[in-house]
Amino acid sequence: VQLQACGGGLVQAGGSLRLSCAASGRTFSNNGMGWFRQAPGKERVFVSSIAWSGGRTSYADSVKGRFTISRDNAKNTVFLQMNSLKPEDTAVYYCAAGKSSYGSSRAGDYGYWGQGTQVTVSS
């Protein structure tokens, strides 16, 4: 089972990036999915989550209104559209597959993790 995150890069403040996370080895269409991020020297923190159907989403206050999570169950892929990026969004972003059908802000509720993709926002 593998979660492959991609789409990170270097962008100027105010710019946009779209992260993708493709799952292989099994389907996660019945699982909640989430995105977390870890800045240098800091703990990994919750960014966003989405329920199995895509009907329920959740966001950290720091990204609410700027980031949008979505999923395509037919492609076993989850996305994170990031707009109006700020330097404080700089981090390694990880996707994760939940142990239940619903998203969660707790890292312990996720059983599978991707390798991470670097997002760097310059000021």
Side-chain angles (χ1 to χ4, degrees):
V1 178
Q2 188 175 15
L3 297 177
Q4 183 72 35
C6 63
L10 173 64
V11 64
Q12 288 187 333
S16 298
L17 284 173
R18 188 189 195 210
L19 305 184
S20 299
C21 176
S24 60
R26 59 158 284 184
T27 179
F28 288 105
S29 58
N30 294 321
N31 297 76
M33 300 291 292
W35 286 95
F36 290 73
R37 68 186 182 187
Q38 186 168 19
K42 296 187 177 180
E43 294 184 350
R44 190 174 300 187
V45 297
F46 170 75
V47 175
S48 182
S49 67
I50 187 167
W52 71 276
S53 65
R56 181 183 299 180
T57 59
S58 180
Y59 299 91
D61 288 343
S62 59
V63 306
K64 202 170 292 183
R66 299 188 297 121
F67 290 12
T68 303
I69 191 171
S70 61
R71 65 190 297 164
D72 184 339
N73 286 340
K75 296 181 179 179
N76 222 17
T77 301
V78 64
F79 305 95
L80 186 67
Q81 177 67 43
M82 306 186 295
N83 299 328
S84 302
L85 282 161
K86 305 175 181 180
E88 50 264 43
D89 294 319
T90 295
V92 177
Y93 283 71
Y94 298 89
C95 63
K99 298 175 182 176
S100 75
S101 297
Y102 300 97
S104 170
S105 62
R106 297 178 297 190
D109 289 339
Y110 293 84
Y112 296 94
W113 291 83
Q115 86 291 354
T117 184
Q118 175 70 47
V119 172
T120 303
V121 185
S122 62
S123 58

